[in-house]
């Protein structure tokens, strides 16, 4: 069975692995919405992870974030393809500008409508 640590360890750099763990820690323990977050695979797959750690709202059925092995390991923001395809395209453009790298250049497959992607190893984190 693939554990969270399995997926964290897939990220390419130590910094990216640490950041993936921090995202998980934040969502489950530090966010003001922590009581509303549930593991996607616990709800729908009897705890068996496929290609990601999926985060879902307890109040709804939508996955809002994934730390995924698919797409060469990255963070996926799931905005929803029915209503937010254009918002996701705009958000991806903004993310690419902020990171000064274009995500699409690293992923040869067609992007999923309603999703935005972040390579954690590209982030520069400044801590006090």
């Amino acid at each position: 069975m693939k554990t969270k640590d399995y997926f964290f360890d897939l990220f390419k750099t130590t910094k990216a692995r640490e950041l993936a763990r921090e995202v998980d820690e934040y969502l489950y323990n530090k966010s003001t919405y922590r009581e509303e977050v549930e593991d996607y695979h616990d709800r729908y797959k009897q705890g068996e992870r496929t290609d990601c750690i999926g985060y879902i709202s307890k109040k709804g059925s939508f996955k809002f974030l994934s730390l995924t092995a698919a797409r060469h390991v990255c963070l996926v923001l799931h905005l929803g393809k029915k209503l937010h395809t254009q918002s996701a395209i705009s958000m991806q453009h903004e993310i690419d500008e902020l990171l000064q790298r274009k995500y699409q250049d690293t992923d040869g497959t067609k992007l999923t409508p309603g999703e935005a992607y972040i390579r954690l190893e590209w982030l520069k984190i400044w801590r006090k």
Side-chain angles (χ1 to χ4, degrees), residues 27-59:
L27 289 173
Y28 283 117
N29 298 311
K30 296 180 181 175
S31 166
T32 55
Y33 299 101
R34 65 186 170 272
E35 298 300 322
E36 299 174 28
V37 177
E38 185 176 0
D39 187 295
Y40 170 82
H41 293 90
D42 285 347
R43 186 190 292 182
Y44 293 113
K45 307 285 184 181
Q46 292 78 42
E48 187 157 338
R49 297 186 196 291
T50 52
D51 65 350
C52 71
I53 301 169
Y55 303 91
I56 191 167
S57 168
K58 286 182 180 178
K59 293 181 180 181

mmCIF file of all heavy atoms in Angstrom, residues 27-59:
data_model
loop_
_atom_site.group_PDB
_atom_site.id
_atom_site.type_symbol
_atom_site.label_atom_id
_atom_site.label_comp_id
_atom_site.label_asym_id
_atom_site.label_seq_id
_atom_site.Cartn_x
_atom_site.Cartn_y
_atom_site.Cartn_z
ATOM 1 N N LEU A 27 -3.069 21.465 6.029
ATOM 2 C CA LEU A 27 -4.471 21.163 5.727
ATOM 3 C C LEU A 27 -5.151 20.398 6.849
ATOM 4 O O LEU A 27 -6.316 20.650 7.166
ATOM 5 C CB LEU A 27 -4.577 20.381 4.424
ATOM 6 C CG LEU A 27 -4.277 21.189 3.168
ATOM 7 C CD1 LEU A 27 -4.243 20.281 1.946
ATOM 8 C CD2 LEU A 27 -5.300 22.302 2.970
ATOM 9 N N TYR A 28 -4.444 19.466 7.475
ATOM 10 C CA TYR A 28 -5.058 18.634 8.505
ATOM 11 C C TYR A 28 -4.936 19.179 9.920
ATOM 12 O O TYR A 28 -5.735 18.823 10.788
ATOM 13 C CB TYR A 28 -4.476 17.219 8.479
ATOM 14 C CG TYR A 28 -5.023 16.393 7.348
ATOM 15 C CD1 TYR A 28 -4.192 15.927 6.349
ATOM 16 C CD2 TYR A 28 -6.377 16.086 7.271
ATOM 17 C CE1 TYR A 28 -4.702 15.171 5.297
ATOM 18 C CE2 TYR A 28 -6.891 15.335 6.234
ATOM 19 C CZ TYR A 28 -6.046 14.880 5.253
ATOM 20 O OH TYR A 28 -6.552 14.134 4.222
ATOM 21 N N ASN A 29 -3.950 20.041 10.183
ATOM 22 C CA ASN A 29 -3.710 20.442 11.568
ATOM 23 C C ASN A 29 -3.651 21.939 11.840
ATOM 24 O O ASN A 29 -3.824 22.342 12.984
ATOM 25 C CB ASN A 29 -2.409 19.795 12.070
ATOM 26 C CG ASN A 29 -2.502 18.291 12.047
ATOM 27 O OD1 ASN A 29 -3.465 17.721 12.536
ATOM 28 N ND2 ASN A 29 -1.526 17.648 11.449
ATOM 29 N N LYS A 30 -3.404 22.768 10.837
ATOM 30 C CA LYS A 30 -3.193 24.191 11.102
ATOM 31 C C LYS A 30 -4.207 25.114 10.439
ATOM 32 O O LYS A 30 -4.412 26.225 10.895
ATOM 33 C CB LYS A 30 -1.777 24.591 10.678
ATOM 34 C CG LYS A 30 -0.708 23.879 11.488
ATOM 35 C CD LYS A 30 0.666 24.273 11.059
ATOM 36 C CE LYS A 30 1.722 23.522 11.877
ATOM 37 N NZ LYS A 30 3.063 23.808 11.408
ATOM 38 N N SER A 31 -4.817 24.674 9.379
ATOM 39 C CA SER A 31 -5.773 25.499 8.652
ATOM 40 C C SER A 31 -7.026 25.735 9.491
ATOM 41 O O SER A 31 -7.446 24.868 10.255
ATOM 42 C CB SER A 31 -6.172 24.802 7.343
ATOM 43 O OG SER A 31 -7.303 25.409 6.777
ATOM 44 N N THR A 32 -7.642 26.877 9.316
ATOM 45 C CA THR A 32 -8.913 27.123 9.994
ATOM 46 C C THR A 32 -10.004 26.203 9.442
ATOM 47 O O THR A 32 -11.047 26.053 10.054
ATOM 48 C CB THR A 32 -9.345 28.598 9.851
ATOM 49 O OG1 THR A 32 -9.392 28.934 8.465
ATOM 50 C CG2 THR A 32 -8.390 29.528 10.557
ATOM 51 N N TYR A 33 -9.760 25.571 8.316
ATOM 52 C CA TYR A 33 -10.703 24.643 7.695
ATOM 53 C C TYR A 33 -10.334 23.178 7.955
ATOM 54 O O TYR A 33 -10.900 22.275 7.354
ATOM 55 C CB TYR A 33 -10.780 24.892 6.181
ATOM 56 C CG TYR A 33 -11.263 26.269 5.852
ATOM 57 C CD1 TYR A 33 -10.364 27.262 5.473
ATOM 58 C CD2 TYR A 33 -12.611 26.593 5.946
ATOM 59 C CE1 TYR A 33 -10.813 28.541 5.181
ATOM 60 C CE2 TYR A 33 -13.061 27.868 5.658
ATOM 61 C CZ TYR A 33 -12.160 28.834 5.270
ATOM 62 O OH TYR A 33 -12.595 30.102 4.990
ATOM 63 N N ARG A 34 -9.410 22.928 8.861
ATOM 64 C CA ARG A 34 -8.891 21.570 9.086
ATOM 65 C C ARG A 34 -9.982 20.556 9.415
ATOM 66 O O ARG A 34 -9.869 19.389 9.059
ATOM 67 C CB ARG A 34 -7.813 21.578 10.155
ATOM 68 C CG ARG A 34 -8.287 21.959 11.538
ATOM 69 C CD ARG A 34 -7.126 22.085 12.523
ATOM 70 N NE ARG A 34 -7.560 22.679 13.759
ATOM 71 C CZ ARG A 34 -7.601 23.986 14.009
ATOM 72 N NH1 ARG A 34 -7.197 24.838 13.097
ATOM 73 N NH2 ARG A 34 -8.030 24.438 15.165
ATOM 74 N N GLU A 35 -11.042 20.976 10.077
ATOM 75 C CA GLU A 35 -12.127 20.052 10.426
ATOM 76 C C GLU A 35 -12.970 19.675 9.207
ATOM 77 O O GLU A 35 -13.783 18.752 9.272
ATOM 78 C CB GLU A 35 -13.024 20.668 11.507
ATOM 79 C CG GLU A 35 -12.304 20.958 12.808
ATOM 80 C CD GLU A 35 -11.714 19.718 13.453
ATOM 81 O OE1 GLU A 35 -12.362 18.650 13.406
ATOM 82 O OE2 GLU A 35 -10.595 19.799 13.998
ATOM 83 N N GLU A 36 -12.774 20.380 8.102
ATOM 84 C CA GLU A 36 -13.558 20.133 6.895
ATOM 85 C C GLU A 36 -12.795 19.345 5.836
ATOM 86 O O GLU A 36 -13.315 19.095 4.763
ATOM 87 C CB GLU A 36 -14.021 21.468 6.308
ATOM 88 C CG GLU A 36 -14.910 22.241 7.257
ATOM 89 C CD GLU A 36 -15.254 23.622 6.743
ATOM 90 O OE1 GLU A 36 -15.283 23.816 5.516
ATOM 91 O OE2 GLU A 36 -15.497 24.508 7.575
ATOM 92 N N VAL A 37 -11.555 18.938 6.140
ATOM 93 C CA VAL A 37 -10.711 18.244 5.167
ATOM 94 C C VAL A 37 -10.714 16.746 5.444
ATOM 95 O O VAL A 37 -10.611 16.319 6.586
ATOM 96 C CB VAL A 37 -9.257 18.779 5.225
ATOM 97 C CG1 VAL A 37 -8.358 18.017 4.266
ATOM 98 C CG2 VAL A 37 -9.220 20.267 4.911
ATOM 99 N N GLU A 38 -10.827 15.984 4.364
ATOM 100 C CA GLU A 38 -10.840 14.529 4.457
ATOM 101 C C GLU A 38 -9.946 13.956 3.364
ATOM 102 O O GLU A 38 -9.761 14.569 2.318
ATOM 103 C CB GLU A 38 -12.280 14.040 4.277
ATOM 104 C CG GLU A 38 -12.491 12.577 4.459
ATOM 105 C CD GLU A 38 -13.972 12.193 4.358
ATOM 106 O OE1 GLU A 38 -14.831 13.066 4.142
ATOM 107 O OE2 GLU A 38 -14.252 10.999 4.488
ATOM 108 N N ASP A 39 -9.431 12.777 3.594
ATOM 109 C CA ASP A 39 -8.609 12.101 2.607
ATOM 110 C C ASP A 39 -9.507 11.478 1.531
ATOM 111 O O ASP A 39 -10.394 10.680 1.838
ATOM 112 C CB ASP A 39 -7.768 11.019 3.285
ATOM 113 C CG ASP A 39 -6.762 10.387 2.357
ATOM 114 O OD1 ASP A 39 -7.181 9.724 1.381
ATOM 115 O OD2 ASP A 39 -5.556 10.539 2.606
ATOM 116 N N TYR A 40 -9.273 11.848 0.294
ATOM 117 C CA TYR A 40 -10.064 11.350 -0.833
ATOM 118 C C TYR A 40 -10.078 9.824 -0.879
ATOM 119 O O TYR A 40 -11.119 9.200 -1.072
ATOM 120 C CB TYR A 40 -9.495 11.920 -2.140
ATOM 121 C CG TYR A 40 -10.068 11.300 -3.386
ATOM 122 C CD1 TYR A 40 -11.284 11.737 -3.898
ATOM 123 C CD2 TYR A 40 -9.399 10.274 -4.052
ATOM 124 C CE1 TYR A 40 -11.821 11.171 -5.045
ATOM 125 C CE2 TYR A 40 -9.924 9.695 -5.189
ATOM 126 C CZ TYR A 40 -11.133 10.144 -5.687
ATOM 127 O OH TYR A 40 -11.666 9.582 -6.812
ATOM 128 N N HIS A 41 -8.917 9.216 -0.686
ATOM 129 C CA HIS A 41 -8.810 7.762 -0.794
ATOM 130 C C HIS A 41 -9.469 7.042 0.376
ATOM 131 O O HIS A 41 -9.959 5.930 0.216
ATOM 132 C CB HIS A 41 -7.353 7.356 -0.983
ATOM 133 C CG HIS A 41 -6.824 7.807 -2.301
ATOM 134 N ND1 HIS A 41 -6.220 9.030 -2.461
ATOM 135 C CD2 HIS A 41 -6.852 7.235 -3.519
ATOM 136 C CE1 HIS A 41 -5.884 9.182 -3.730
ATOM 137 N NE2 HIS A 41 -6.257 8.118 -4.393
ATOM 138 N N ASP A 42 -9.485 7.667 1.546
ATOM 139 C CA ASP A 42 -10.203 7.067 2.671
ATOM 140 C C ASP A 42 -11.703 7.021 2.371
ATOM 141 O O ASP A 42 -12.373 6.039 2.685
ATOM 142 C CB ASP A 42 -9.959 7.845 3.965
ATOM 143 C CG ASP A 42 -8.582 7.590 4.550
ATOM 144 O OD1 ASP A 42 -7.901 6.635 4.113
ATOM 145 O OD2 ASP A 42 -8.166 8.368 5.439
ATOM 146 N N ARG A 43 -12.224 8.065 1.740
ATOM 147 C CA ARG A 43 -13.655 8.110 1.465
ATOM 148 C C ARG A 43 -14.064 7.206 0.305
ATOM 149 O O ARG A 43 -15.063 6.508 0.378
ATOM 150 C CB ARG A 43 -14.121 9.533 1.155
ATOM 151 C CG ARG A 43 -15.651 9.562 1.027
ATOM 152 C CD ARG A 43 -16.238 10.828 0.487
ATOM 153 N NE ARG A 43 -16.104 11.953 1.384
ATOM 154 C CZ ARG A 43 -16.606 13.158 1.096
ATOM 155 N NH1 ARG A 43 -17.245 13.349 -0.030
ATOM 156 N NH2 ARG A 43 -16.434 14.142 1.929
ATOM 157 N N TYR A 44 -13.285 7.229 -0.759
ATOM 158 C CA TYR A 44 -13.730 6.564 -1.980
ATOM 159 C C TYR A 44 -12.969 5.294 -2.363
ATOM 160 O O TYR A 44 -13.431 4.537 -3.205
ATOM 161 C CB TYR A 44 -13.661 7.531 -3.156
ATOM 162 C CG TYR A 44 -14.649 8.658 -3.049
ATOM 163 C CD1 TYR A 44 -14.219 9.965 -2.875
ATOM 164 C CD2 TYR A 44 -16.011 8.419 -3.114
ATOM 165 C CE1 TYR A 44 -15.132 11.009 -2.779
ATOM 166 C CE2 TYR A 44 -16.926 9.445 -3.008
ATOM 167 C CZ TYR A 44 -16.485 10.740 -2.846
ATOM 168 O OH TYR A 44 -17.384 11.765 -2.744
ATOM 169 N N LYS A 45 -11.803 5.053 -1.788
ATOM 170 C CA LYS A 45 -10.976 3.930 -2.234
ATOM 171 C C LYS A 45 -10.548 3.015 -1.085
ATOM 172 O O LYS A 45 -9.534 2.339 -1.195
ATOM 173 C CB LYS A 45 -9.718 4.458 -2.946
ATOM 174 C CG LYS A 45 -9.965 5.445 -4.065
ATOM 175 C CD LYS A 45 -10.470 4.754 -5.293
ATOM 176 C CE LYS A 45 -10.606 5.777 -6.423
ATOM 177 N NZ LYS A 45 -11.110 5.195 -7.621
ATOM 178 N N GLN A 46 -11.285 3.016 0.015
ATOM 179 C CA GLN A 46 -10.964 2.204 1.188
ATOM 180 C C GLN A 46 -9.516 2.420 1.650
ATOM 181 O O GLN A 46 -8.841 1.503 2.111
ATOM 182 C CB GLN A 46 -11.201 0.705 0.934
ATOM 183 C CG GLN A 46 -12.656 0.331 0.755
ATOM 184 C CD GLN A 46 -13.188 0.679 -0.631
ATOM 185 O OE1 GLN A 46 -12.520 0.470 -1.629
ATOM 186 N NE2 GLN A 46 -14.386 1.213 -0.676
ATOM 187 N N GLY A 47 -9.038 3.640 1.515
ATOM 188 C CA GLY A 47 -7.708 4.005 1.984
ATOM 189 C C GLY A 47 -6.573 3.658 1.033
ATOM 190 O O GLY A 47 -5.431 3.989 1.300
ATOM 191 N N GLU A 48 -6.866 3.020 -0.083
ATOM 192 C CA GLU A 48 -5.814 2.640 -1.017
ATOM 193 C C GLU A 48 -5.527 3.774 -1.996
ATOM 194 O O GLU A 48 -6.385 4.173 -2.773
ATOM 195 C CB GLU A 48 -6.194 1.375 -1.787
ATOM 196 C CG GLU A 48 -5.043 0.898 -2.632
ATOM 197 C CD GLU A 48 -5.132 -0.575 -2.961
ATOM 198 O OE1 GLU A 48 -5.807 -1.317 -2.234
ATOM 199 O OE2 GLU A 48 -4.507 -0.953 -3.949
ATOM 200 N N ARG A 49 -4.307 4.264 -1.934
ATOM 201 C CA ARG A 49 -3.897 5.366 -2.792
ATOM 202 C C ARG A 49 -3.503 4.832 -4.162
ATOM 203 O O ARG A 49 -2.858 3.805 -4.280
ATOM 204 C CB ARG A 49 -2.719 6.091 -2.175
ATOM 205 C CG ARG A 49 -3.059 6.722 -0.868
ATOM 206 C CD ARG A 49 -1.934 7.576 -0.327
ATOM 207 N NE ARG A 49 -2.170 7.848 1.066
ATOM 208 C CZ ARG A 49 -3.140 8.631 1.527
ATOM 209 N NH1 ARG A 49 -3.932 9.226 0.703
ATOM 210 N NH2 ARG A 49 -3.291 8.811 2.820
ATOM 211 N N THR A 50 -3.868 5.587 -5.165
ATOM 212 C CA THR A 50 -3.523 5.217 -6.532
ATOM 213 C C THR A 50 -2.289 5.998 -6.958
ATOM 214 O O THR A 50 -1.176 5.518 -6.812
ATOM 215 C CB THR A 50 -4.709 5.468 -7.466
ATOM 216 O OG1 THR A 50 -5.176 6.812 -7.274
ATOM 217 C CG2 THR A 50 -5.841 4.493 -7.178
ATOM 218 N N ASP A 51 -2.482 7.215 -7.426
ATOM 219 C CA ASP A 51 -1.358 8.016 -7.921
ATOM 220 C C ASP A 51 -1.171 9.325 -7.166
ATOM 221 O O ASP A 51 -0.434 10.193 -7.613
ATOM 222 C CB ASP A 51 -1.525 8.290 -9.412
ATOM 223 C CG ASP A 51 -2.735 9.166 -9.718
ATOM 224 O OD1 ASP A 51 -3.559 9.412 -8.812
ATOM 225 O OD2 ASP A 51 -2.866 9.619 -10.866
ATOM 226 N N CYS A 52 -1.875 9.490 -6.017
ATOM 227 C CA CYS A 52 -1.790 10.788 -5.342
ATOM 228 C C CYS A 52 -2.223 10.707 -3.887
ATOM 229 O O CYS A 52 -2.783 9.710 -3.442
ATOM 230 C CB CYS A 52 -2.666 11.810 -6.064
ATOM 231 S SG CYS A 52 -4.444 11.547 -5.854
ATOM 232 N N ILE A 53 -1.995 11.817 -3.195
ATOM 233 C CA ILE A 53 -2.657 12.103 -1.932
ATOM 234 C C ILE A 53 -3.725 13.113 -2.317
ATOM 235 O O ILE A 53 -3.405 14.202 -2.811
ATOM 236 C CB ILE A 53 -1.699 12.727 -0.899
ATOM 237 C CG1 ILE A 53 -0.515 11.803 -0.617
ATOM 238 C CG2 ILE A 53 -2.452 13.050 0.383
ATOM 239 C CD1 ILE A 53 0.591 12.463 0.190
ATOM 240 N N GLY A 54 -4.972 12.762 -2.157
ATOM 241 C CA GLY A 54 -6.061 13.646 -2.552
ATOM 242 C C GLY A 54 -6.752 14.229 -1.338
ATOM 243 O O GLY A 54 -7.004 13.517 -0.362
ATOM 244 N N TYR A 55 -7.060 15.506 -1.404
ATOM 245 C CA TYR A 55 -7.726 16.203 -0.311
ATOM 246 C C TYR A 55 -9.117 16.603 -0.775
ATOM 247 O O TYR A 55 -9.280 17.172 -1.852
ATOM 248 C CB TYR A 55 -6.925 17.445 0.102
ATOM 249 C CG TYR A 55 -5.512 17.096 0.495
ATOM 250 C CD1 TYR A 55 -4.483 17.099 -0.447
ATOM 251 C CD2 TYR A 55 -5.210 16.727 1.798
ATOM 252 C CE1 TYR A 55 -3.186 16.762 -0.089
ATOM 253 C CE2 TYR A 55 -3.910 16.387 2.167
ATOM 254 C CZ TYR A 55 -2.909 16.415 1.213
ATOM 255 O OH TYR A 55 -1.628 16.071 1.573
ATOM 256 N N ILE A 56 -10.102 16.289 0.049
ATOM 257 C CA ILE A 56 -11.497 16.492 -0.316
ATOM 258 C C ILE A 56 -12.222 17.198 0.826
ATOM 259 O O ILE A 56 -11.828 17.082 1.985
ATOM 260 C CB ILE A 56 -12.146 15.125 -0.646
ATOM 261 C CG1 ILE A 56 -13.499 15.285 -1.294
ATOM 262 C CG2 ILE A 56 -12.194 14.217 0.549
ATOM 263 C CD1 ILE A 56 -14.026 14.006 -1.914
ATOM 264 N N SER A 57 -13.279 17.896 0.481
ATOM 265 C CA SER A 57 -14.108 18.554 1.483
ATOM 266 C C SER A 57 -15.061 17.539 2.110
ATOM 267 O O SER A 57 -15.704 16.774 1.396
ATOM 268 C CB SER A 57 -14.915 19.672 0.819
ATOM 269 O OG SER A 57 -15.917 20.140 1.681
ATOM 270 N N LYS A 58 -15.162 17.540 3.432
ATOM 271 C CA LYS A 58 -16.114 16.658 4.112
ATOM 272 C C LYS A 58 -17.552 17.033 3.750
ATOM 273 O O LYS A 58 -18.439 16.189 3.772
ATOM 274 C CB LYS A 58 -15.945 16.746 5.630
ATOM 275 C CG LYS A 58 -14.723 16.042 6.146
ATOM 276 C CD LYS A 58 -14.658 16.126 7.660
ATOM 277 C CE LYS A 58 -13.421 15.418 8.180
ATOM 278 N NZ LYS A 58 -13.305 15.536 9.639
ATOM 279 N N LYS A 59 -17.773 18.301 3.445
ATOM 280 C CA LYS A 59 -19.121 18.775 3.156
ATOM 281 C C LYS A 59 -19.562 18.509 1.720
ATOM 282 O O LYS A 59 -20.726 18.604 1.405
ATOM 283 C CB LYS A 59 -19.214 20.277 3.437
ATOM 284 C CG LYS A 59 -19.065 20.614 4.892
ATOM 285 C CD LYS A 59 -19.197 22.088 5.121
ATOM 286 C CE LYS A 59 -19.056 22.427 6.595
ATOM 287 N NZ LYS A 59 -19.195 23.855 6.841
#
